[in-house]
Amino acid sequence: MPKLDLSQLPLKTGSIYPEPYAAMMQGRSSLRLGQAGGLTQFGVNLVVLEPGALSSLRHWHLHEDEFVMVTEGECVLVEDGGETVMRPGDCAAFPANTPNGHHFINRSDAVTRFLVVGTKAPREVATYSDVDLRVEMADGQARFTYKDGSDWNGPR
């Protein structure tokens, strides 16, 4: 298996979220490790959160499992059941079709890094717990809707 040179991988910043949610992802970036290695059945990303940054809106996946392992720094896992401090070596698992909205926040004054591994379903639906938003992914294309399935036209 070829060794990946992380210094040569493009740093992905920004978000596919529509505004005003995209602006909330400032300070979040990632390296697409699985993609760089040619993996097609699951994704592997190294996420970097600057102090104060969010990993995402709180969400859950209909078809995809998600696994997270903190590699550096400290962050807070926020989920339906509350908050948990996560430090290097700590792991969290989110099975598909389990409506437990989750995300990570860096409340420290240092950079946090964590590895995210997830399945790549041909079709996926992610529901955002705290806002009236849902995304349907198919063939690499995102379609944002309200939770009732109607086309998204901005916060309501």
Side-chain angles (χ1 to χ4, degrees):
M1 170 161 221
K3 180 180 176 182
L4 300 177
D5 182 350
L6 302 188
S7 70
Q8 297 302 306
L9 299 183
L11 189 66
K12 182 181 182 308
T13 59
S15 168
I16 66 166
Y17 295 150
E19 291 296 351
Y21 309 119
M24 295 170 64
M25 299 304 108
Q26 189 169 353
R28 176 202 186 272
S29 59
S30 64
L31 295 175
R32 303 295 177 127
L33 306 177
Q35 182 179 359
L39 302 180
T40 59
Q41 296 179 21
F42 59 93
V44 182
N45 300 316
L46 182 62
V47 176
V48 180
L49 295 181
E50 298 294 329
L54 305 173
S55 62
S56 62
L57 297 174
R58 257 182 6 104
H59 67 283
W60 59 275
H61 296 277
L62 184 61
H63 301 293
E64 296 180 348
D65 288 336
E66 189 175 14
F67 176 85
V68 175
M69 180 178 186
V70 176
T71 61
E72 179 182 336
E74 178 180 292
C75 59
V76 177
L77 164 61
V78 180
E79 58 184 327
D80 289 353
E83 297 186 357
T84 305
V85 174
M86 304 282 289
R87 295 185 178 92
D90 289 343
C91 302
F94 307 98
N97 200 23
T98 303
N100 178 17
H102 59 275
H103 71 171
F104 296 84
I105 303 173
N106 182 353
R107 292 186 180 146
S108 77
D109 58 1
V111 169
T112 298
R113 289 181 171 80
F114 54 88
L115 197 64
V116 179
V117 180
T119 50
K120 283 188 166 184
R123 298 185 64 78
E124 172 59 312
V125 176
T127 301
Y128 299 95
S129 303
D130 301 322
V131 296
D132 189 5
L133 184 67
R134 205 174 75 137
V135 65
E136 299 172 3
M137 299 292 298
D139 302 319
Q141 299 297 313
R143 176 179 174 255
F144 287 95
T145 69
Y146 296 105
K147 289 178 182 174
D148 66 9
S150 61
D151 289 336
W152 196 82
N153 294 310
R156 59 179 183 183

